[in-house]
Amino acid sequence: MVFAPDTEIALRTVVDLINSAANGEEKLATVADLDRFLETEGLSGSRTRDAAELASVHALRAELARLWTADEDTAVEGVNRLLREAHALPQLLKHDEWDWHFHATTRDAPLADRMGTEAAMALADVIRSKEMDRMLVCAADDCEAVVLDLSRNRSKRYCDTGNCANRAHVAAYRARRAAGE
């Protein structure tokens, strides 16, 4: 499945945001951490750069993590709530290095509203396309990071946060060797 470029970018940002707290590790502990995250993800717009803004992004992250593993009806409710609370008004924009893409809030809207709206718009595309099965949790037993499977054959099972795939493959290899001895 190929989504529109802005949808894929927003979905990858959702994955990175959720995984910033995966496996008990907090990667957005400070406003400076949030600054780096936003720069890496290419998110722009107004900022307050304070503890309240960081807390609102943490709250959004928790909501998106719940939606990632939710059933379709629950995900729809959450997406609609995010859009409604941000007073979303979708429109096409071109800015920075990005060609035409959707935004549903202004650049002056609070950061968590902008991030939540972009995530909700992307998740709406996933839901409408009946592709929620591409939103996974890492298959490694000791990992709770999320995975976005955009592969044609739906084969991605492990996250990008560490070496989960390597560890699983090595363990399977060792198990096969031990069984053969």
Side-chain angles (χ1 to χ4, degrees):
M1 177 78 196
V2 177
F3 293 103
D6 56 328
T7 296
E8 287 190 18
I9 290 166
L11 289 170
R12 290 181 200 282
T13 298
V14 170
V15 168
D16 292 343
L17 180 61
I18 294 170
N19 288 345
S20 70
N23 303 318
E25 184 178 352
E26 177 57 72
K27 294 180 184 172
L28 296 179
T30 67
V31 172
D33 294 337
L34 179 59
D35 290 344
R36 282 187 293 280
F37 176 84
L38 297 173
E39 183 177 333
T40 300
E41 298 297 326
L43 297 172
S44 60
S46 69
R47 297 276 314 283
T48 59
R49 289 187 167 81
D50 59 16
E53 182 177 71
L54 180 61
S56 68
V57 171
H58 285 173
L60 172 64
R61 178 178 63 191
E63 175 65 14
L64 292 174
R66 282 188 294 276
L67 294 179
W68 196 265
T69 57
D71 62 75
E72 184 177 80
D73 290 338
T74 303
V76 167
E77 288 173 19
V79 164
N80 285 340
R81 184 177 52 257
L82 286 170
L83 293 170
R84 188 173 47 253
E85 289 174 358
H87 307 287
L89 180 62
Q91 50 195 300
L92 283 168
L93 294 175
K94 186 189 290 191
H95 63 87
D96 301 321
E97 74 274 4
W98 306 106
D99 202 356
W100 292 112
H101 62 283
F102 272 115
H103 276 279
T105 59
T106 66
R107 291 174 58 88
D108 296 334
L111 176 63
D113 285 353
R114 291 193 321 270
M115 291 175 71
T117 300
E118 285 198 29
M121 298 277 291
L123 292 172
D125 279 351
V126 173
I127 293 166
R128 290 181 318 124
S129 301
K130 299 291 187 194
E131 296 287 348
M132 287 186 67
D133 58 340
R134 293 182 177 274
M135 297 166 37
L136 309 167
V137 175
C138 183
D141 293 336
D142 61 343
C143 184
E144 54 190 44
V146 299
V147 177
L148 175 63
D149 182 8
L150 295 177
S151 66
R152 284 182 187 227
N153 64 357
R154 299 174 183 266
S155 61
K156 187 166 181 164
R157 295 291 170 255
Y158 297 97
C159 70
D160 298 325
T161 64
N163 297 318
C164 293
N166 270 354
R167 286 185 291 115
H169 295 306
V170 167
Y173 170 76
R174 289 180 179 158
R176 285 191 305 272
R177 285 201 48 160
E181 291 178 357

